[in-house]
Amino acid sequence: MAVDIQPACLGLYCGKTLLFKNGSTEIYGECGVCPRGQRTNAQKYCQPCTESPELYDWLYLGFMAMLPLVLHWFFIEWYSGKKSSSALFQHITALFECSMAAIITLLLHHCIYLLRVLLGINDAASAAPGEEDCLWAGEVRSI
């Protein structure tokens, strides 16, 4: 007598993705990498990330946002030679450029649920099923 044991999906981002949903019937695929913006729940099914970022998520986001700014400022100092008013102006414009790049990147991304989480907007319950992590459909309907 052989027992067919299903191997557990390992890791936070390895789970079973939803292939088909018909009413209350859900069909899941094999274990694999969860799509972008999803992680596994306790049953190892891929679910959209809806909770606020944890400490290490904030540290990673902060590092990735600060890295271009620090590199900009380093090379401004490296090539400016002496202290001048133009170097101060370049530092300010580098800060403006990196800030705007971060904001525009979040706004132009296909699914900007992370921006909604960061801003504390939680109206996912009012969205249609399947659209709770994308803002584009709601914006188009409201115009």
Side-chain angles (χ1 to χ4, degrees), residues 34-114:
C34 291
R36 180 186 298 187
Q38 295 187 2
R39 69 185 307 175
T40 58
N41 59 10
Q43 293 80 27
K44 293 297 184 182
Y45 296 132
C46 296
Q47 300 291 323
C49 298
T50 56
E51 52 282 338
S52 181
E54 297 174 8
L55 175 65
Y56 289 110
D57 299 328
W58 286 111
L59 292 174
Y60 175 75
L61 290 172
F63 174 76
M64 295 309 286
M66 293 294 293
L67 182 65
L69 180 63
V70 170
L71 288 173
H72 272 73
W73 285 350
F74 171 77
F75 285 107
I76 289 169
E77 289 295 323
W78 182 277
Y79 287 107
S80 68
K82 57 182 177 134
K83 302 290 182 201
S84 65
S85 62
S86 67
L88 177 64
F89 179 70
Q90 288 176 346
H91 282 291
I92 293 170
T93 56
L95 175 65
F96 178 73
E97 175 187 353
C98 291
S99 301
M100 291 306 297
I103 292 169
I104 291 171
T105 299
L106 288 173
L107 292 175
L108 291 181
H109 193 267
H110 176 66
C111 289
I112 56 172
Y113 192 77
L114 178 62

Side-chain angles (χ1 to χ4, degrees), residues 115-122:
L115 179 63
R116 297 169 62 107
V117 170
L118 293 176
L119 295 177
I121 301 170
N122 189 12

Side-chain angles (χ1 to χ4, degrees), residues 6-52:
Q6 192 81 332
C9 301
L10 303 175
L12 290 175
Y13 305 101
C14 182
K16 297 178 180 181
T17 57
L18 181 64
L19 297 177
F20 180 72
K21 183 174 182 178
N22 185 9
S24 63
T25 306
E26 296 178 344
I27 299 174
Y28 289 92
E30 298 293 321
C31 285
V33 178
C34 291
R36 180 186 298 187
Q38 295 187 2
R39 69 185 307 175
T40 58
N41 59 10
Q43 293 80 27
K44 293 297 184 182
Y45 296 132
C46 296
Q47 300 291 323
C49 298
T50 56
E51 52 282 338
S52 181

